[in-house]
């Protein structure tokens, strides 16, 4: 899906190690990726600092949309993992 939105293959593979490849991402993208990580690992611990940086790049509606996408993909991942669904078929 990321490719369809113009994300380079290098950036897709570098997302997990974004700190080692900052040249592939804008600051705005890095903040959104950090939010995705925090929300996925422990959604109760979105710090005020992260929230403020997120809001400096995205308006309220965009933050809600980002959170919705993160939550939806977390749901699908957990659902498929728990049921051992082979998503490649």
């Amino acid at each position: 899906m990321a490719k369809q939105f113009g994300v380079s293959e290098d950036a897709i593979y570098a997302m997990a190690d974004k700190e080692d490849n900052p040249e592939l991402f804008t600051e705005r993208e890095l903040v959104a990726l950090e939010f995705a990580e925090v929300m996925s690992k422990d959604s109760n611990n979105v710090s005020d600092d992260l929230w403020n940086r997120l809001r400096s790049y995205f308006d309220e509606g965009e933050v809600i949309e980002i959170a919705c996408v993160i939550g939806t993909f977390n749901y699908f991942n957990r659902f498929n993992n728990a049921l051992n669904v082979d998503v490649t078929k």
Side-chain angles (χ1 to χ4, degrees), residues 32 35-41 43 62-80:
F35 181 56
E37 283 182 29
V38 170
M39 192 173 151
S40 297
K41 291 178 183 176
S43 59
E62 291 170 322
V63 172
I64 291 168
E65 186 173 348
I66 292 167
C68 184
V69 169
I70 295 165
T72 300
F73 278 90
N74 276 307
Y75 164 77
F76 287 134
N77 288 337
R78 284 169 174 75
F79 181 89
N80 289 330

Side-chain angles (χ1 to χ4, degrees), residues 14-23 25 30 33-34 37:
M15 282 184 199
D17 300 312
K18 64 187 176 310
E19 293 82 13
D20 297 332
N21 300 285
E23 71 282 356
F25 305 98
L30 288 169
L33 289 169
E34 182 180 350
E37 283 182 29

Side-chain angles (χ1 to χ4, degrees), residues 4 8 11-13 15-16 20 26 28-30 34 44 56 58-59 63 65-66 69-71 79 84-87 89:
Q4 293 173 343
S8 74
I12 291 169
Y13 288 109
M15 282 184 199
D20 297 332
T26 65
R28 184 177 195 253
E29 292 166 333
L30 288 169
E34 182 180 350
N44 290 314
S56 73
F58 301 97
D59 65 31
V63 172
E65 186 173 348
I66 292 167
V69 169
I70 295 165
F79 181 89
N84 201 26
V85 175
D86 184 354
V87 295
K89 292 184 178 185

